[in-house]
Each structure stands twice: as C-alpha cells, then as structure tokens.
Amino acid sequence: MFGRSYFCGEVPETAVGEKVTLKGWVQTRRDLGGVIFIDLRDRSGIVQVVFNPDLSQEALEIAEKIRSEYVLDIQGTVVAREASTINEKIKTGKIEVQAEKVTIINEAKTPPFMITDTTDVSEDVRLKYRYLDFRRPVIFETLKMRHQVTKQIRDFLDSEGFLDIETPILTKSTPEGARDYLVPSRVHPGEFYALPQSPQLFKQLLMVGGVERYYQIARCFRDEDLRADRQPEFTQVDIETSFLSQEDIMALMEKMMTQVMKEVKGIEIPAPFPRMTYDEAMSRFGSDKPDTRFGLELVDLSEIVKDSGFKVFSAAVANGGQVKAINVKASADKYSRKDIDALTEFVAVYGAKGLAWFKVEAEGINGPITKFFSEEEVNAMKATLEASVGDLILFVADKKSVVADALGALRIKLGKELGLIDQSKFNFLWVTDWPLLEFDEEEGRYFAAHHPFTMPFREDLEYLDTDPGRVRAQAYDIVLNGYELGGGSLRIFERSIQEKMFKVLGFTPEEANEQFGFLMNAFEYGTPPHGGIALGLDRLVMLLAGSSNLRDTIAFPKTASASDLLTDAPGEVSKAQLKELYLTLNVNK
Amino acid sequence: MFGRSYFCGEVPETAVGEKVTLKGWVQTRRDLGGVIFIDLRDRSGIVQVVFNPDLSQEALEIAEKIRSEYVLDIQGTVVAREASTINEKIKTGKIEVQAEKVTIINEAKTPPFMITDTTDVSEDVRLKYRYLDFRRPVIFETLKMRHQVTKQIRDFLDSEGFLDIETPILTKSTPEGARDYLVPSRVHPGEFYALPQSPQLFKQLLMVGGVERYYQIARCFRDEDLRADRQPEFTQVDIETSFLSQEDIMALMEKMMTQVMKEVKGIEIPAPFPRMTYDEAMSRFGSDKPDTRFGLELVDLSEIVKDSGFKVFSAAVANGGQVKAINVKASADKYSRKDIDALTEFVAVYGAKGLAWFKVEAEGINGPITKFFSEEEVNAMKATLEASVGDLILFVADKKSVVADALGALRIKLGKELGLIDQSKFNFLWVTDWPLLEFDEEEGRYFAAHHPFTMPFREDLEYLDTDPGRVRAQAYDIVLNGYELGGGSLRIFERSIQEKMFKVLGFTPEEANEQFGFLMNAFEYGTPPHGGIALGLDRLVMLLAGSSNLRDTIAFPKTASASDLLTDAPGEVSKAQLKELYLTLNVNK
C-alpha cells in the first residue's frame, strides 16, 4: 500500500481500533461546534475523518485551515460510528477515523465546479479543467471501465493465441474514406508520412507473413471536422486471422463480447448473436445498424397501394420507388395534427417530400388521405400492418433509399419519444451479406462499400464486370443497440481478384500498382486466406458506460475549441505562408 | 481450432492413428523415388507429410506441382515414424502425416531468401520482403516475445491497480530534447499538432486528477535522423504514480521486471537490484549506464601521479583534470605495441589526446612512460591497481569528462574483445542521484538533465539560484547490461518550484506561462506528490531476445531507405515549394 493503510473508500469495518494512515483530497469540511468533520476522498471513494479538540488540538487547528480539494496525509484511529450517525450511502459509512495528526501536502484554489457526479457547468469548462473532471467519480469510473474492457479483450485474445503487434503510426497514405493527416518529413524534404486511418495493409502483410492471429488496440486518425460522435484520433480493436471462415471469426467475436459483458457489466449475453442480412435490415428497419430493442418496424405496402387513387403512392411505386409505413401502436391520441406536422418536418431532413398518415378508429381509418383508398385497400393495409383501434400509421412514399432513411430515422425518434427502448438491454446483432460496391451518382462511379480489400462472394465474382452493383461482399458488421460497433470482412488474397477490384473502382493498372503494388506483390508469395474485424473502442466503452457522450470515454478528447492544443508554426516561417500552403492542400486533395 | 486439427508443430505422438486436417506453408519438398515428402510449416513449427502412391495417386500428383511456400490444406492420418527415420531435432519428429487429400490454397513464387533462422541476405532485402521475414522462426519468436513482455507488464500493472489510459497522439509541441514531428491541421490552417516525444504532461495531469496509478504502452516520436539504435517512432512503457516515494517506485519496478524475466525468460533475478549513484557510476565505469557483467573498472591515480615527472599526468591534474587507468588483467602478452596504437586511435575519438600504458613484468614495469616515475610512485600505482605480473595498464589523463568517456568506451571494447562478458547474465542496476542540470558550454546556459519537471532534492533547493550545477535530482535510471532501459523521477508538484526551474532554464515568466501555464495552473488545484518512470520497450525486447538489432524487435521498422513509406505531396502543391518550406522549418527550429 506504499505508505497508506487503506484507500479511503475501502477502510473496512474490521479495521476498527487500528491506527491508520490515509492520503487523499478534501471532499467537504463541516465545522460542528468546535468539532471538524472532513470527507476524505481518493479514487476508491470517501471516508469520514473527525478532528476533535480532546484528541489533538494541533490537528484541529490545522483542520480549520483546510479547504475543499486540499491534499492531506492523515494519521488516526478507526472507530465505529454511533448507530444514529451511520451513513448507508457510502461503503465506509459505519466507521470514521479520529484524526491524531494531519499534514497538508498541498493546497487548492476553489475549483470552478463541484467534484460530484452531477454538475451543471458546461462541457467546455469541464474539459478546460479536465484534471478536476477526472476527480468526479462518474468520469473516473468511465476511465476505469475503459481499462477493464481493454484488459478483458487483451486477455481473451491472448488466450486464443493472438499476438499484440504494433504497426506504424508514421506510414504511407492510402485512399480510404476520409482525409489523411500528413506529416512532413524533415529528413526527406517534400515528402510526407500519413497517419493511418486503420492498420489494414499492415495487418494483411502480417497474415501474408504467417502470423495467423494478430490484434492491436490501435490508434487511428482522420483529418476531418469534429462532430459529436467523431474524434480526429480514435481507437480501434483491430483483429486479423488466417484460415478462418466468416463463421469462425463471428463465433470468436461473440465469445469475446460475451466475456467482456460478463466480466465488466456482470451481464450474460446469449450467443450466437442474432443475424440479419443487409437487405433485411434495410427493409425492416430502414437502417444498416438497426436498434432491435424495440419494434416499430417498416412495413412495405407498395403492392397494396400501387394502383390506389392516391397519386403520391401510386406514382412512387410506378417510378420504381416504395410505399412503406410504421404502425405506431396505441398512439393515435398522443399525436395531434401539429405533432404530425413536426414529424413531417423531421423526415424532410432525410429527403422525404411528405409524411402521409391515418389513425385507426372504431369507425374506420381517419386522416386526410383516407378518401383515396378503396375498402379493399384499407383492409389489406390494416391486415399487413396488424393495425387495431388507436394505432397511428405513418407513411413515406419515395425512392427506396429515401424511404429507408426517413422512416429509419423516424422509427428511432418515435422509439425514444414513446419510451419504447429498454435502456438496460444490450442487443448485439450481426448484419451480413453487404453489397461490395456502392454507386456514387455524383461521381458516376462505384466505391467500395467497406474497403477495396473486401472479398466478394465467390459465386458473385462473374458479375464484377457486368453488374458490379449486385456483387455481395463477405463482410459483416457487429451492431449494438443501433450503433455500428465494428465491421469486418474476409479479404481478397489473390492478385488477380485484387487487380479486378481496383479496375472496377476506376484505377488504371498503373495507379493500382503504384499505390498497392506492395500488397499485390506480397499476395504472390504464398498468401493464406485471411479476414478480420475492427471494433470501435471509444463507442463500445460509451455504450457500456451508458453514456451518450463519446468524449467522456476519452481521457483527453479534442473539442471544437481545443485550438489550445495546437501550436503556432515554429521558427520564422510566417503563419500566412503556411496558411496559404495548407489551404492549397485542402483544395487540391 | 477452426477447421484444423492441430498446428503443424504441435501434432502430438498421442495423435497416431487420428485423421487430421492441417494447414500451412511448404518448407521443403523432397521426391524420393516416387514418394514425396513435404515439411509443412506454420507459426508453431514443422510436421512431415508423406505422399505415397499406394495411399492416394491423386494427392501425389498434386504434390508433384507443389513448390516452397505454397499454402496447403492437408488431410491425412498421423502415423509413427520408423525408428531409423525419427528426427530428434523437431518436436514432431517421431510422427508423420500420410496425406490422403491435399488442396493448394495458394501458390507462391520462389522467395528471394530461405525461410530459415540464418540467412545471408542483406537486411534491406529482408525488410523489403518483411512479410517473408516474419515467416523465419527467429523473427516470429521475437514478435511473440514482444507480445509476451507487454502482456506480463500489463498483467502486473493491472494487478497493482494501474489503469491503462490512452493519451493523445495529436498534441501540443513541448520543448524536450529532440525535434517534434509537426502535423498541419486543415481545420485550423497555419497551426500544427505535434506528435508527442512522451506523454509526460498528460500523465502529470492524470495525477493532478487523482487517477493515482496510470500506465500506457505509448507510442512516442522524434523527428531525427535514423541511427542503428534509434527509430523515429518508438514505444515506451509509461508509468506514473501518486503519493509514492522513489523507493516505492523502484520496488514496484523491480517486482515488475523480475516477473517479466521469470515468465518470459524463465530466469530468477534477485531483487532489490544493485544501486549506484551517478557519481559512482561515472567514477568506476566512466558511464552513466555501466555494464556490470565484467570488471575492468576505472582506477583514479591522480593523487599518486600529480607530482610525477611525467608532465602529461601532472599537468592534467594541475589543470583540474584526472589521471585514471584500467588494469587489463593478465593481458600484457595479448597486446603488442601495434595493438596499443590501435587502442590509442580508438580513445582519440572520445577526445583523449593519448593512451599511456605499461606492462607489469617480474622485473618491474615496462613501457615508454616508466622512466618518469619514482619507485614509490610505481609501488603506489601497482598497489592501487592491484597489479600483478602479466597485467597491462592503460591510462588516460585529461579533463574529467574526457577521461570518463574515453576509458568508459575502452572498457566496453576490451570487455568484448577479451570475452569477459557473460552473455547469459542479465545485470539490472539503478543509477540514482543524478545532477538536475547540465551546463552547455556552447550555449552558455543550463539544460535539464532529464526534463524540466524533475524534482530536485529538497535539501539542494537553496542552490538553484546560486550554484545550479550542484543541485541533485530525485531521478533514477534503470540500466540493463550497459543499456539505459528507462528513466524516472519524482516530479515537481508545486507551482513556485516549477517557476523557479523554468527561470534557471532561461525561460522568461511569460514564456514559461505561455508554454506550461496549463500545467502550473493545474498544480494550484490540489496536486498530489507524484512520480514515475518510462521504459524503452523496443530496447527491453531486444535485450531479452539476445539480439543486437533494434529493428528485429519492431514489426515494421523504418530504414534509411524506407522512403517508399513516404508519400508525395498531394494535390498540386509543387514538391519544390514544400521542400523550400521544410528546409526553412529545419533551419529555424
């Protein structure tokens, strides 16, 4: 224990009668008629210390000078509290320490906010004084949980024969989704390192090298604007295996996640996790990362209303689109016309030109669009929607992607508003059978849905030239409570397929060779089939901590105002010169 | 085991009679009169597979096409080898697998070097084909050892209540020894992040925050030229504690290192480790990181020869310098005059203007300087040097630092040449009581010997203004076999002392505040006494692996020729423009 008898929050009842030394911070000080009570805090919790003139006048006099957050060394005797003063709210509530000697190790100014779980100061102030924020138990416990999660993951992967291998931070730029941070090299003027968006190429090279099972808790980087759910540097649990099938990898991850849930949260999660194809997820939930903790699924009514008198519906179907609805059970009376107008504005953000609706009443359906439908159509809709009296039905008719986005987002919003989400649940889900490629209409070309190293379904390879959009990928995302926790895939391990992939993505053979020749050459020296996954650690900890603030899971997060972490250009280069240069970089990238 | 029955190197004798599936790479193929033998290798080792026409003609025909490093899936039966064909050199040498079916998973070109422990290709070729280098058992085992070392360290620190906390890679520039890598921010044009040389400030802020015990296996960066023993990115085991004394921290580290040595190397290291002050190390070994596996200590003869007739010696002492010698026991006949001339050239590199010497013979001492000394002086030297017949005595007379550098280096050279170093020994050593400051004669000012946050001895604080050079630091280095494994210190935790330290280092109060105001403000909010240590992981693994090549401990090291890892300036910025800019940065930093 290195010079202290116990941590404050762990002084046990069995210590009554013991002389102890404690160290910590002053949480509160109360002066009750010449006797001073101090709550002494360290990272383990709190213990009450009493300064009594009968015991030590000298200690009492020092205690009078003590203020919140002073750092103290206390020597005293543990005594049992009288029954009337027992505090059941804290672990050490049955005892207190009678101080015989106190040393002020360091003083403290009045902190700008209280060191308590709840605080009403802005996050900016908390982050400015992050070192005080760490003393708040809720933040410390999140840091501790992050430690525990990584420890569990490391222990599990170690026990399964994975090697923790560090890959470079200073590396070569590779084209992934986001922009790379570039690091000018002074040793090679005019050339740059790039900070990795993921260790993808390195982990594949380790597999070529016969390492077979690699993992790393890897720092990754994206030079993009901050968003609430995005940090320019983030951490992923990066895993790669050789000779394993998609099923093998998914089973391993299930074993790992159930162990983490059990050891960190004390919750038994049944495995295997539910699975769903990408198509099914989009169809039922309007999302590729569905939150399955509640219903409100999307119901396809296109077939029923395609010939209806409501032109918005029939035209949508005729143009290749869809008409889908959500049945908001027993909620007709909860949503006024004005409320529904607000929902219409909400879906407009996702491109929906309107939000049709009706309510199911004992007399029939009621709402502005009801007159357009035949009784047969109404009955068929009601049957398909499993509608009953009191239900509110909300429709979007548009092209497939707009219907999914709008109703998918509306579903989440309604689920939260109506309190349909059981916050104690942890619903893991695999989403499989992703499309390999996505067509970008603006650029008029295909992009890799995951990344260009993802292995297509072998039986779909023949469509790579003729109909790339229908090629499915051997890719799998793990989803938790509506968040994408991670994404994985089997990788291409044959040069010929990798070359074809780059061709489909619009690379000339020369460009592909220049950027990825290193990897494709490696493929020719005995490359095993391989695949892996990457999990977002920040997000995992956020979900396990029951937080909705990603920054609370990171010791020193970046904030929009955190330019104090930046430094001016060194030496005598003018700021204007650099600004000009990087604006140019920015424009031309 | 995910689709295979065993790893190749682990097929046990008890498996005889079993049908097995194995996967791996072809190490060698031998065709012996229509029967083909393949050594199949994976990361665990090798097993022999036999293709016999009596068993499967089809498998044999495929086996004929197989070349080195092909990736195979083999199905067959484990059989015991005949006594005459047992191979005691490999773990699976008593069995072999009779192949019934073989699938070529992937083909391989002929590798540019053999996949064996010893290879005569250049390191450049090995690193170019690093993915093949990984398949060499010696390299794979080093990666595995690195994993084991980090796992042991993590387990130990976890068990001692340390939290693994990630600190930022994108951070603010702070003045340490080396140059920072700078990362231009596109979101804040004209401003830069710096990559950390260590997480020093962050770990101190964690201590201010009451975290008490922090560790991280942290990537650190220095924008400097490559050297054999230096990489621009390196990894350190970074540790910080609160309320612990120097003795506590040293004891913790001893417990950690003995556990690592026991679990990874199977070697019991006695603790506590030997300790030596900086002054003693410099005096006895001419080094602040002495290799204590052998003798050849430096002996101070200044007092004996200060009035001698040999002017080189007496002048050196008169000018405030020293005369020291090494007694190379029983080696007089091993070093000819020509050999000693070569040693003279060797010490000249360290600034020594000459290397005086004599040999101890039955008749007396023999050598060019012997005539200058009285019998009394000779006897006193011999007694102090514990010299006997057959010894060679080598002298350097110069200012103190030159004597230490020259004889310190000579000692190591002679220790190696004469085979005095027991390579199986792991000699840990603490070097303590460092000077706080070093005077730089060129710049005419003091620099921090460790870093500006190191706590002086309290009893030396009074000299900070008057005689800074004599202030000792509460700093401790851990040394292993002559390498600095890590350095630690107690830190300043009071604003007033930190301000004084910056003043001594030549900062104006404004400069100190601008660069370190954040930390000094934090000190005012209840900062506990704290201290820690940082250990070089790359070097530790190198020493445990018995290697002398730092790069072999790093999966993807940088090399002088590794400009293929750099990328050209993106977009349309001219290379010349960037080159000019970074040359300017270089000059002005």
PDB file of all heavy atoms in Angstrom, chain A residues 316-339:
ATOM      1  N   ALA A 316     -45.083   6.899 -56.826  1.00  0.00           N
ATOM      2  CA  ALA A 316     -43.817   6.450 -56.217  1.00  0.00           C
ATOM      3  C   ALA A 316     -43.503   5.028 -56.665  1.00  0.00           C
ATOM      4  O   ALA A 316     -42.374   4.721 -57.075  1.00  0.00           O
ATOM      5  CB  ALA A 316     -43.900   6.522 -54.693  1.00  0.00           C
ATOM      6  N   VAL A 317     -44.507   4.147 -56.605  1.00  0.00           N
ATOM      7  CA  VAL A 317     -44.284   2.751 -56.999  1.00  0.00           C
ATOM      8  C   VAL A 317     -43.990   2.667 -58.495  1.00  0.00           C
ATOM      9  O   VAL A 317     -43.076   1.964 -58.934  1.00  0.00           O
ATOM     10  CB  VAL A 317     -45.484   1.868 -56.612  1.00  0.00           C
ATOM     11  CG1 VAL A 317     -45.248   0.417 -57.025  1.00  0.00           C
ATOM     12  CG2 VAL A 317     -45.753   1.959 -55.108  1.00  0.00           C
ATOM     13  N   ALA A 318     -44.770   3.432 -59.287  1.00  0.00           N
ATOM     14  CA  ALA A 318     -44.574   3.392 -60.740  1.00  0.00           C
ATOM     15  C   ALA A 318     -43.165   3.839 -61.106  1.00  0.00           C
ATOM     16  O   ALA A 318     -42.576   3.340 -62.067  1.00  0.00           O
ATOM     17  CB  ALA A 318     -45.621   4.292 -61.419  1.00  0.00           C
ATOM     18  N   ASN A 319     -42.586   4.748 -60.348  1.00  0.00           N
ATOM     19  CA  ASN A 319     -41.228   5.235 -60.628  1.00  0.00           C
ATOM     20  C   ASN A 319     -40.129   4.355 -60.020  1.00  0.00           C
ATOM     21  O   ASN A 319     -38.987   4.783 -59.931  1.00  0.00           O
ATOM     22  CB  ASN A 319     -41.068   6.663 -60.086  1.00  0.00           C
ATOM     23  CG  ASN A 319     -41.931   7.643 -60.872  1.00  0.00           C
ATOM     24  OD1 ASN A 319     -42.206   7.433 -62.061  1.00  0.00           O
ATOM     25  ND2 ASN A 319     -42.396   8.693 -60.203  1.00  0.00           N
ATOM     26  N   GLY A 320     -40.533   3.174 -59.580  1.00  0.00           N
ATOM     27  CA  GLY A 320     -39.513   2.264 -59.045  1.00  0.00           C
ATOM     28  C   GLY A 320     -39.269   2.440 -57.564  1.00  0.00           C
ATOM     29  O   GLY A 320     -38.360   1.825 -57.008  1.00  0.00           O
ATOM     30  N   GLY A 321     -40.087   3.282 -56.935  1.00  0.00           N
ATOM     31  CA  GLY A 321     -39.904   3.520 -55.509  1.00  0.00           C
ATOM     32  C   GLY A 321     -40.763   2.603 -54.664  1.00  0.00           C
ATOM     33  O   GLY A 321     -41.210   1.547 -55.120  1.00  0.00           O
ATOM     34  N   GLN A 322     -40.979   3.031 -53.419  1.00  0.00           N
ATOM     35  CA  GLN A 322     -41.697   2.202 -52.455  1.00  0.00           C
ATOM     36  C   GLN A 322     -42.677   3.058 -51.652  1.00  0.00           C
ATOM     37  O   GLN A 322     -42.504   4.273 -51.524  1.00  0.00           O
ATOM     38  CB  GLN A 322     -40.723   1.615 -51.429  1.00  0.00           C
ATOM     39  CG  GLN A 322     -39.770   0.575 -51.941  1.00  0.00           C
ATOM     40  CD  GLN A 322     -38.870   0.105 -50.821  1.00  0.00           C
ATOM     41  OE1 GLN A 322     -38.436   0.914 -49.989  1.00  0.00           O
ATOM     42  NE2 GLN A 322     -38.591  -1.194 -50.787  1.00  0.00           N
ATOM     43  N   VAL A 323     -43.663   2.379 -51.089  1.00  0.00           N
ATOM     44  CA  VAL A 323     -44.505   2.996 -50.061  1.00  0.00           C
ATOM     45  C   VAL A 323     -44.380   2.128 -48.822  1.00  0.00           C
ATOM     46  O   VAL A 323     -44.709   0.939 -48.853  1.00  0.00           O
ATOM     47  CB  VAL A 323     -45.985   3.076 -50.501  1.00  0.00           C
ATOM     48  CG1 VAL A 323     -46.827   3.703 -49.387  1.00  0.00           C
ATOM     49  CG2 VAL A 323     -46.123   3.854 -51.789  1.00  0.00           C
ATOM     50  N   LYS A 324     -43.868   2.721 -47.747  1.00  0.00           N
ATOM     51  CA  LYS A 324     -43.730   1.947 -46.523  1.00  0.00           C
ATOM     52  C   LYS A 324     -44.317   2.739 -45.348  1.00  0.00           C
ATOM     53  O   LYS A 324     -44.447   3.981 -45.419  1.00  0.00           O
ATOM     54  CB  LYS A 324     -42.254   1.632 -46.243  1.00  0.00           C
ATOM     55  CG  LYS A 324     -41.685   0.640 -47.248  1.00  0.00           C
ATOM     56  CD  LYS A 324     -40.239   0.317 -46.952  1.00  0.00           C
ATOM     57  CE  LYS A 324     -40.071  -1.153 -46.646  1.00  0.00           C
ATOM     58  NZ  LYS A 324     -38.648  -1.490 -46.428  1.00  0.00           N
ATOM     59  N   ALA A 325     -44.670   1.994 -44.325  1.00  0.00           N
ATOM     60  CA  ALA A 325     -45.318   2.645 -43.185  1.00  0.00           C
ATOM     61  C   ALA A 325     -44.809   2.063 -41.882  1.00  0.00           C
ATOM     62  O   ALA A 325     -44.281   0.953 -41.831  1.00  0.00           O
ATOM     63  CB  ALA A 325     -46.829   2.466 -43.280  1.00  0.00           C
ATOM     64  N   ILE A 326     -44.998   2.851 -40.827  1.00  0.00           N
ATOM     65  CA  ILE A 326     -44.754   2.383 -39.459  1.00  0.00           C
ATOM     66  C   ILE A 326     -46.075   2.429 -38.722  1.00  0.00           C
ATOM     67  O   ILE A 326     -46.794   3.427 -38.804  1.00  0.00           O
ATOM     68  CB  ILE A 326     -43.738   3.299 -38.737  1.00  0.00           C
ATOM     69  CG1 ILE A 326     -42.354   3.150 -39.359  1.00  0.00           C
ATOM     70  CG2 ILE A 326     -43.696   2.986 -37.254  1.00  0.00           C
ATOM     71  CD1 ILE A 326     -41.335   4.125 -38.770  1.00  0.00           C
ATOM     72  N   ASN A 327     -46.384   1.356 -38.028  1.00  0.00           N
ATOM     73  CA  ASN A 327     -47.583   1.347 -37.190  1.00  0.00           C
ATOM     74  C   ASN A 327     -47.175   1.733 -35.763  1.00  0.00           C
ATOM     75  O   ASN A 327     -46.535   0.955 -35.059  1.00  0.00           O
ATOM     76  CB  ASN A 327     -48.221  -0.044 -37.202  1.00  0.00           C
ATOM     77  CG  ASN A 327     -49.451  -0.087 -36.304  1.00  0.00           C
ATOM     78  OD1 ASN A 327     -49.761   0.888 -35.601  1.00  0.00           O
ATOM     79  ND2 ASN A 327     -50.158  -1.221 -36.328  1.00  0.00           N
ATOM     80  N   VAL A 328     -47.550   2.954 -35.385  1.00  0.00           N
ATOM     81  CA  VAL A 328     -47.215   3.411 -34.029  1.00  0.00           C
ATOM     82  C   VAL A 328     -48.376   2.970 -33.133  1.00  0.00           C
ATOM     83  O   VAL A 328     -49.407   3.637 -33.037  1.00  0.00           O
ATOM     84  CB  VAL A 328     -47.017   4.944 -33.990  1.00  0.00           C
ATOM     85  CG1 VAL A 328     -46.317   5.363 -32.693  1.00  0.00           C
ATOM     86  CG2 VAL A 328     -46.221   5.418 -35.188  1.00  0.00           C
ATOM     87  N   LYS A 329     -48.195   1.826 -32.509  1.00  0.00           N
ATOM     88  CA  LYS A 329     -49.291   1.153 -31.774  1.00  0.00           C
ATOM     89  C   LYS A 329     -49.844   2.044 -30.662  1.00  0.00           C
ATOM     90  O   LYS A 329     -49.070   2.660 -29.906  1.00  0.00           O
ATOM     91  CB  LYS A 329     -48.789  -0.151 -31.131  1.00  0.00           C
ATOM     92  CG  LYS A 329     -48.338  -1.248 -32.080  1.00  0.00           C
ATOM     93  CD  LYS A 329     -49.425  -1.779 -32.988  1.00  0.00           C
ATOM     94  CE  LYS A 329     -50.493  -2.574 -32.246  1.00  0.00           C
ATOM     95  NZ  LYS A 329     -51.535  -3.054 -33.221  1.00  0.00           N
ATOM     96  N   ALA A 330     -51.180   2.096 -30.595  1.00  0.00           N
ATOM     97  CA  ALA A 330     -51.888   2.739 -29.472  1.00  0.00           C
ATOM     98  C   ALA A 330     -51.391   4.161 -29.209  1.00  0.00           C
ATOM     99  O   ALA A 330     -51.298   4.602 -28.063  1.00  0.00           O
ATOM    100  CB  ALA A 330     -51.729   1.882 -28.204  1.00  0.00           C
ATOM    101  N   SER A 331     -51.069   4.868 -30.294  1.00  0.00           N
ATOM    102  CA  SER A 331     -50.509   6.209 -30.106  1.00  0.00           C
ATOM    103  C   SER A 331     -51.291   7.278 -30.856  1.00  0.00           C
ATOM    104  O   SER A 331     -50.857   8.433 -30.946  1.00  0.00           O
ATOM    105  CB  SER A 331     -49.062   6.239 -30.572  1.00  0.00           C
ATOM    106  OG  SER A 331     -48.291   5.369 -29.777  1.00  0.00           O
ATOM    107  N   ALA A 332     -52.444   6.903 -31.418  1.00  0.00           N
ATOM    108  CA  ALA A 332     -53.223   7.861 -32.209  1.00  0.00           C
ATOM    109  C   ALA A 332     -53.544   9.104 -31.385  1.00  0.00           C
ATOM    110  O   ALA A 332     -53.456  10.235 -31.871  1.00  0.00           O
ATOM    111  CB  ALA A 332     -54.512   7.193 -32.714  1.00  0.00           C
ATOM    112  N   ASP A 333     -53.849   8.902 -30.103  1.00  0.00           N
ATOM    113  CA  ASP A 333     -54.235  10.051 -29.276  1.00  0.00           C
ATOM    114  C   ASP A 333     -53.049  10.837 -28.761  1.00  0.00           C
ATOM    115  O   ASP A 333     -53.202  11.897 -28.165  1.00  0.00           O
ATOM    116  CB  ASP A 333     -55.119   9.580 -28.099  1.00  0.00           C
ATOM    117  CG  ASP A 333     -54.407   8.515 -27.270  1.00  0.00           C
ATOM    118  OD1 ASP A 333     -53.364   7.985 -27.744  1.00  0.00           O
ATOM    119  OD2 ASP A 333     -54.881   8.219 -26.162  1.00  0.00           O
ATOM    120  N   LYS A 334     -51.852  10.317 -28.982  1.00  0.00           N
ATOM    121  CA  LYS A 334     -50.665  11.026 -28.478  1.00  0.00           C
ATOM    122  C   LYS A 334     -50.144  12.040 -29.493  1.00  0.00           C
ATOM    123  O   LYS A 334     -49.273  12.857 -29.158  1.00  0.00           O
ATOM    124  CB  LYS A 334     -49.546  10.022 -28.159  1.00  0.00           C
ATOM    125  CG  LYS A 334     -49.867   9.145 -26.957  1.00  0.00           C
ATOM    126  CD  LYS A 334     -48.756   8.149 -26.696  1.00  0.00           C
ATOM    127  CE  LYS A 334     -49.183   7.162 -25.627  1.00  0.00           C
ATOM    128  NZ  LYS A 334     -48.548   5.845 -25.822  1.00  0.00           N
ATOM    129  N   TYR A 335     -50.586  11.933 -30.754  1.00  0.00           N
ATOM    130  CA  TYR A 335     -50.042  12.801 -31.799  1.00  0.00           C
ATOM    131  C   TYR A 335     -51.155  13.633 -32.426  1.00  0.00           C
ATOM    132  O   TYR A 335     -52.019  13.119 -33.133  1.00  0.00           O
ATOM    133  CB  TYR A 335     -49.310  11.975 -32.856  1.00  0.00           C
ATOM    134  CG  TYR A 335     -47.986  11.464 -32.330  1.00  0.00           C
ATOM    135  CD1 TYR A 335     -47.905  10.261 -31.632  1.00  0.00           C
ATOM    136  CD2 TYR A 335     -46.824  12.223 -32.494  1.00  0.00           C
ATOM    137  CE1 TYR A 335     -46.695   9.811 -31.118  1.00  0.00           C
ATOM    138  CE2 TYR A 335     -45.605  11.776 -31.985  1.00  0.00           C
ATOM    139  CZ  TYR A 335     -45.545  10.574 -31.296  1.00  0.00           C
ATOM    140  OH  TYR A 335     -44.354  10.144 -30.795  1.00  0.00           O
ATOM    141  N   SER A 336     -51.123  14.936 -32.170  1.00  0.00           N
ATOM    142  CA  SER A 336     -52.063  15.869 -32.800  1.00  0.00           C
ATOM    143  C   SER A 336     -51.603  16.150 -34.224  1.00  0.00           C
ATOM    144  O   SER A 336     -50.497  15.756 -34.616  1.00  0.00           O
ATOM    145  CB  SER A 336     -52.084  17.173 -32.003  1.00  0.00           C
ATOM    146  OG  SER A 336     -50.814  17.807 -32.134  1.00  0.00           O
ATOM    147  N   ARG A 337     -52.449  16.875 -34.993  1.00  0.00           N
ATOM    148  CA  ARG A 337     -52.043  17.285 -36.348  1.00  0.00           C
ATOM    149  C   ARG A 337     -50.752  18.090 -36.285  1.00  0.00           C
ATOM    150  O   ARG A 337     -49.863  17.941 -37.124  1.00  0.00           O
ATOM    151  CB  ARG A 337     -53.133  18.151 -36.974  1.00  0.00           C
ATOM    152  CG  ARG A 337     -54.208  17.303 -37.603  1.00  0.00           C
ATOM    153  CD  ARG A 337     -55.231  18.140 -38.316  1.00  0.00           C
ATOM    154  NE  ARG A 337     -56.267  17.228 -38.797  1.00  0.00           N
ATOM    155  CZ  ARG A 337     -56.496  17.004 -40.097  1.00  0.00           C
ATOM    156  NH1 ARG A 337     -55.804  17.634 -41.018  1.00  0.00           N
ATOM    157  NH2 ARG A 337     -57.430  16.147 -40.456  1.00  0.00           N
ATOM    158  N   LYS A 338     -50.669  18.948 -35.262  1.00  0.00           N
ATOM    159  CA  LYS A 338     -49.467  19.788 -35.121  1.00  0.00           C
ATOM    160  C   LYS A 338     -48.228  18.915 -34.860  1.00  0.00           C
ATOM    161  O   LYS A 338     -47.157  19.146 -35.433  1.00  0.00           O
ATOM    162  CB  LYS A 338     -49.676  20.741 -33.939  1.00  0.00           C
ATOM    163  CG  LYS A 338     -48.869  22.014 -34.057  1.00  0.00           C
ATOM    164  CD  LYS A 338     -49.222  22.985 -32.939  1.00  0.00           C
ATOM    165  CE  LYS A 338     -47.983  23.704 -32.445  1.00  0.00           C
ATOM    166  NZ  LYS A 338     -48.194  24.336 -31.138  1.00  0.00           N
ATOM    167  N   ASP A 339     -48.416  17.902 -34.013  1.00  0.00           N
ATOM    168  CA  ASP A 339     -47.294  16.983 -33.754  1.00  0.00           C
ATOM    169  C   ASP A 339     -46.861  16.292 -35.044  1.00  0.00           C
ATOM    170  O   ASP A 339     -45.662  16.109 -35.311  1.00  0.00           O
ATOM    171  CB  ASP A 339     -47.701  15.902 -32.740  1.00  0.00           C
ATOM    172  CG  ASP A 339     -48.006  16.487 -31.363  1.00  0.00           C
ATOM    173  OD1 ASP A 339     -47.445  17.557 -31.041  1.00  0.00           O
ATOM    174  OD2 ASP A 339     -48.809  15.875 -30.626  1.00  0.00           O
TER     175      ASP A 339
END
